[in-house]
Amino acid sequence: MNALLPAPTPADDRDPAPAGPGTPAPRPSRRRRAAAALGRRLGRAGTALGRRLLAAPLTLALLAALGTVGAATGSLGRGPSAGLLAQVGVGLPTLAAGRWWTPLTSLFWCPGTLSYLCTALLLLLVGPAAEQRLGRARTLAVLVTGHAAGTLLGTWLVAAGSRLGEPWTASVAGQVSVGPSAGLFALAAALGHRLTAPWDRRLRLLVLLVPLGMTLYVGHLQSVQRCAAVLVGLALGALLQRGRPRRQAHRPAHAEARVLVALCLVAAALGPLVAALYDNASGPFNTFSDLYFSHPLGPDEIADACARSVHECARAHAVQRIFGTPGRLMAALFPALLVVLADGLRRGLRLAWRIAVATELSWLTLLGLFYLYPEPVDADEVEYFVEAMLLPLLTLGLLLATRQRFRLGLADGAGRRLALTVGGALTAASAAYVGIGSAVADRFEPGATPWRLLHGLPALFLPPAYNDLAPDYPIALGGTAVLLETYCGLAFWTVTLGALLLSFRRPAVRTDHAAAARARALLTEHGGGTLSFITTWDGNHHWFDEDGRAAVAYRVHGGIALTAGDPFGAPDARERAVAGFARYCDARGWTPCFFSVSPQIRAAADRLGWRSVQVAEDTVVALPGLAFTGRKWQDIRTALNKAAKQGITAEWLTYRQAPPALRDQIREISEEWVLAKGLPEMGFTLGGLGELDDPEVRVLIAVDEQRVVHGLTSWMPVHENGVPVGWTLDFMRRRTDGFRGVNEFLIASAARHFQDEGARFLSLSGAPLARSARDERPTGLQRLLDRTGQLLEPVYGFRSLLAFKSKFQPEYHPMYMAYPDPAALPRISRAIGKAYLPRLTPAQGVRLVRRLSG
């Protein structure tokens, strides 16, 4: 795409002096303008939310009923009273007493204030979507049926477990529950059947994992009822979906398996953390959270330690003290590490898999030592030992079973940088602890020697729960010793986790000059779209199909493989290349995104179940029969005539072979344009000076009789069967104080020249985030992009550029962005921003925000 026209010089944004009589009112300050803009955005968001709620009257009615009943019975604060709970709550005691209505009445109460708030949020998330996709009658039927059937099924499961002598179910058999959460989970499970396949899978995983995790770790009756309600909801959704077509989305198996493994690892990491928030958690894995997440010692535990010895007493107080400092974050070490590793597993990285396996093995070893040292478990502790070992064994088994899914390496040099960073952090933390600790040895108990401090290093880097495994480590008593004990391990793990995240986010993409040459030859032989020549620019990598007849140019940012224009090569292989490139990206843990593609490639992506949105408008001028006659060409004729009168002519050259004096003027014009904005040039699909230095790119300059360059344009070839059949405008600049109609003059001169050569068309390229008016109703994402283009207009002038091109009476061809996963849109947005502004400095970023907000 061509670079943009010069934007007006920004006005001075300082607060003006107070206006006197007869003078215009002063412009509001930047702060007030920003506040006003924020107020407008919040107002629009509130209006959109209001419209969404007004379109969901059943949701509003349920919210009102829940609040009214809770307020009328005084339950909004601490929940229903014991007497009311016995009448309306559902559970074995109430059902055994013959209160058959409780599976229905339990819908209208919640156990407490926090539960009311969470239930209202869940209802607002699920209710409007269900009313829109299922209809109000079906939504109400699924909600009531799912709640009643789910609570009954969950209660029956608890009763069955109690009769079989299972201790956990026996401990919750006497509980009674209230709240519509079971019905809402059933409704969410049923709603998934009306969504597209990717969202259906995500919603199913969410509604299954959340209640299952709560059941395993918290273990309350209501958690079991929610799990049962999800199963009921899935069955109801399948029943409602019978006979209805569904839009399928093809998601390769690699990505699906990686996401599943990563989610299981996250669930294993966060489950104990959730259980630790409940004082009365009783799930089958609850005993495990104390070992995994760690917890502060209670008064009885401290008293027992002090009764045994002075050293153990000091150690107990040290463990207790750490939970009053930032060092308490060490208690969440295992969950934090597994969450970071889950991100690497999602990307298919071999290093993340190896570290995850090593973590699970280390954890199993620590748990074994914890129970077997100093003496083996007795008969009463066998069950707790088995429960503690079960989850890491299951997780380790899952990792080993799926090892073939994780074969991707890190980027060049990333592994070495990671090793140096982690090794350096470990060395620095250990040296600080031992060195400084030896200097303040009297602040430890017993007195610290370098050997004793070295012996205590493992306790420094482990959660507090495992400190018993190093019984002789020195205990800090105060001052500098406490700071060392608190922050050395925390600093090491902060650096390590941050380094892992950064390493995982840098994709392994290697430049292949032979592939670039092969891609250029394929493009010259078969051609592509009007933008296909930008695939030859630096920064692009190339993928070829199995037959080598089609290729895709791409660049990777943040796990997004962003393409530049259509696939190119043999015409019959271009559309098939979409699916082939998607499989290639899946094998590497990337999300593909085809950017600035034609309607034909959009249709190929649509057949895969992808989504698309218009991101630009290509403007194509047909050259056969072109004549600048008639009123609609008046501006173009005026520019040509004025240029002739002022002695300005058009000259063709290549930038590499141009005389030094002309090259210097071209650089001067470009730098003047950039400095006028105070912002960097955009890249990716917008060329700059670097892209002019190509022997196949033709440059047309406007020079006067004194050899002063007033403006220039560059033209990229569009090949077919080895010869150019069209030309695409890329670089366009004009001298600020030069001939005003130079751009019109240059484009018209180029059109005449290419017409004489026999070319079929001239593409004026696309204007990003600008499009011509169409009758179709825009989607929410399209409206957002239109708004973004409007915001960027004062800076980069996208819409002004499109209006300028209309002078040449072009045909308008929409250009699209096609993507497989709507959930990846935030990452796609960041990748596009990084591609267009790869060298944006912090100062330029601040300046851009100020320009946009002003």
Side-chain angles (χ1 to χ4, degrees), residues 679-693:
L679 296 170
E681 288 188 276
M682 300 182 78
F684 187 33
T685 61
L686 301 172
L689 280 176
E691 284 68 40
L692 293 183
D693 193 10

Side-chain angles (χ1 to χ4, degrees), residues 133-212:
R133 296 181 180 271
L134 296 177
R136 296 189 186 101
R138 288 192 179 94
T139 297
L140 182 61
V142 171
L143 177 65
V144 175
T145 304
H147 182 81
T151 53
L152 287 173
L153 178 58
T155 305
W156 178 83
L157 290 173
V158 169
S162 299
R163 285 195 295 270
L164 294 175
E166 209 288 320
W168 158 56
T169 51
S171 68
V172 299
Q175 293 182 0
V176 175
S177 71
V178 289
S181 59
L184 291 175
F185 272 94
L187 183 61
L191 176 63
H193 289 274
R194 294 295 175 90
L195 303 178
T196 56
W199 287 108
D200 183 15
R201 281 191 290 265
R202 293 187 184 96
L203 190 58
R204 288 189 188 189
L205 283 173
L206 184 64
V207 298
L208 282 171
L209 283 178
V210 171
L212 182 60

Side-chain angles (χ1 to χ4, degrees), residues 323-346:
F323 286 93
T325 70
R328 65 183 179 272
L329 296 176
M330 287 291 294
L333 171 61
F334 280 123
L337 178 59
L338 290 183
V339 169
V340 170
L341 294 175
D343 182 62
L345 293 177
R346 178 180 63 85

Side-chain angles (χ1 to χ4, degrees), residues 34 46 305 351 354 441 469 514 676 709 732:
L351 178 64
R354 288 175 175 173
L469 299 180
V709 179
M732 181 166 62

Side-chain angles (χ1 to χ4, degrees), residues 565-846:
D566 288 0
F568 56 93
D572 61 336
R574 295 176 192 172
E575 294 186 16
R576 293 197 304 270
V578 176
F581 181 68
R583 291 190 296 269
Y584 172 81
C585 292
D586 172 66
R588 284 151 182 78
W590 303 334
T591 297
C593 175
F594 281 84
F595 191 79
S596 293
V597 297
S598 64
Q600 292 74 24
I601 300 304
R602 177 206 188 191
D606 188 66
R607 288 192 291 272
L608 298 176
W610 291 20
R611 301 290 186 88
S612 61
V613 65
Q614 185 179 348
V615 293
E617 193 92 52
D618 194 8
T619 46
V620 179
V621 179
L623 293 180
L626 176 66
F628 302 126
T629 58
R631 291 187 58 185
K632 60 185 179 180
W633 294 100
Q634 180 62 47
D635 290 345
I636 308 304
R637 291 198 304 272
T638 299
L640 291 170
N641 293 334
K642 286 186 176 181
K645 291 179 181 179
Q646 297 182 24
I648 295 176
T649 58
E651 293 184 11
W652 288 99
L653 52 85
T654 60
Y655 184 76
R656 181 176 299 179
Q657 298 177 350
L662 293 181
R663 284 206 305 268
D664 290 342
Q665 291 190 67
I666 291 173
R667 283 194 296 268
E668 176 189 347
I669 292 172
S670 180
E671 291 171 0
E672 179 188 33
W673 182 87
V674 173
L675 290 174
K677 290 182 176 296
L679 296 170
E681 288 188 276
M682 300 182 78
F684 187 33
T685 61
L686 301 172
L689 280 176
E691 284 68 40
L692 293 183
D693 193 10
D694 188 304
E696 294 190 59
V697 174
R698 301 172 70 172
V699 180
L700 182 63
I701 62 173
V703 296
D704 60 19
E705 295 173 350
Q706 287 74 38
R707 305 301 291 169
V708 175
V709 179
H710 289 250
L712 70 148
T713 56
S714 72
W715 300 88
M716 304 180 297
V718 181
H719 290 93
E720 185 177 297
N721 297 323
V723 296
V725 296
W727 294 85
T728 298
L729 175 65
D730 175 41
F731 192 82
M732 181 166 62
R733 295 284 193 273
R734 67 176 178 85
R735 190 181 295 276
T736 304
D737 57 352
F739 171 49
R740 298 292 297 176
V742 67
N743 290 320
E744 291 90 338
F745 165 70
L746 286 170
I747 294 175
S749 301
R752 284 178 170 175
H753 180 83
F754 291 134
Q755 185 183 44
D756 293 341
E757 288 185 347
R760 295 203 302 262
F761 64 87
L762 201 70
S763 170
L764 303 183
S765 191
L769 299 177
R771 62 193 185 101
S772 57
R774 287 188 169 81
D775 296 333
E776 61 187 24
R777 182 178 179 182
T779 63
L781 178 59
Q782 187 68 70
R783 289 193 295 270
L784 176 62
L785 291 177
D786 291 344
R787 174 62 179 165
T788 303
Q790 181 180 351
L791 289 173
L792 291 175
E793 178 64 22
V795 181
Y796 287 107
F798 296 133
R799 298 184 177 189
S800 301
L801 180 63
L802 185 63
F804 165 79
K805 294 175 181 179
S806 67
K807 296 180 180 182
F808 295 90
Q809 314 304 317
E811 299 176 1
Y812 293 98
H813 299 166
M815 307 177 77
Y816 297 94
M817 177 181 75
Y819 53 96
D821 186 359
L825 278 173
R827 291 192 295 126
I828 291 173
S829 300
R830 289 195 298 272
I832 293 173
K834 186 67 174 177
Y836 271 117
L837 295 170
R839 292 173 292 276
L840 183 69
T841 65
Q844 291 171 333
V846 171

